Amino acid sequence: QVQLVESGGGSVQAVGSLRLSCAASGYTGSRLCMAWFRQAPGKEREGVARIYSIPYYTDSVKGRFTISRDNAANTVYLQMNSLKPEDTAMYYCAARGRGCMGWAPQDYKSWGQGTQVTVSS
């Protein structure tokens, strides 16, 4: 069973930057697909970025966000630059053991508790 713990959220002004971290523990099998999702109040959870070996991004964050992983440290990061108010959400780290296609939350079996990101105009 994988446990995920996010950190790095906070409040920033527009065009500011934040870096989120997600530390994974409790799993010693093959490398996981790891992803970042976000959920704003009243909205469905949406995929933001995911990575197995190659990163993928939802269109709204391309060119601004960068997902990366440190396999030795079992940690995935989300560098968020040029933040916009519409990026405001609770950000969740997620992991899945098989496949790394698509953004369906139900495909991810392990979830962190979330870290809040608030961007003011």
Side-chain angles (χ1 to χ4, degrees), residues 80-99:
M80 304 184 293
N81 297 327
S82 301
L83 283 162
K84 304 174 180 179
E86 48 263 47
D87 295 318
T88 295
M90 184 72 74
Y91 282 70
Y92 298 90
C93 181
R96 59 190 289 184
R98 287 186 174 271

Side-chain angles (χ1 to χ4, degrees), residues 108-121:
Y108 291 82
K109 305 305 180 184
S110 299
W111 291 85
Q113 293 300 115
T115 185
Q116 179 67 39
V117 171
T118 302
V119 185
S120 60
S121 61

Side-chain angles (χ1 to χ4, degrees), residues 7-36:
S7 62
S11 297
V12 298
Q13 292 186 336
V15 309
S17 297
L18 286 172
R19 188 180 73 157
L20 307 184
S21 299
C22 173
S25 63
Y27 181 75
T28 58
S30 59
R31 190 170 72 219
L32 299 171
C33 171
M34 301 191 72
W36 288 96

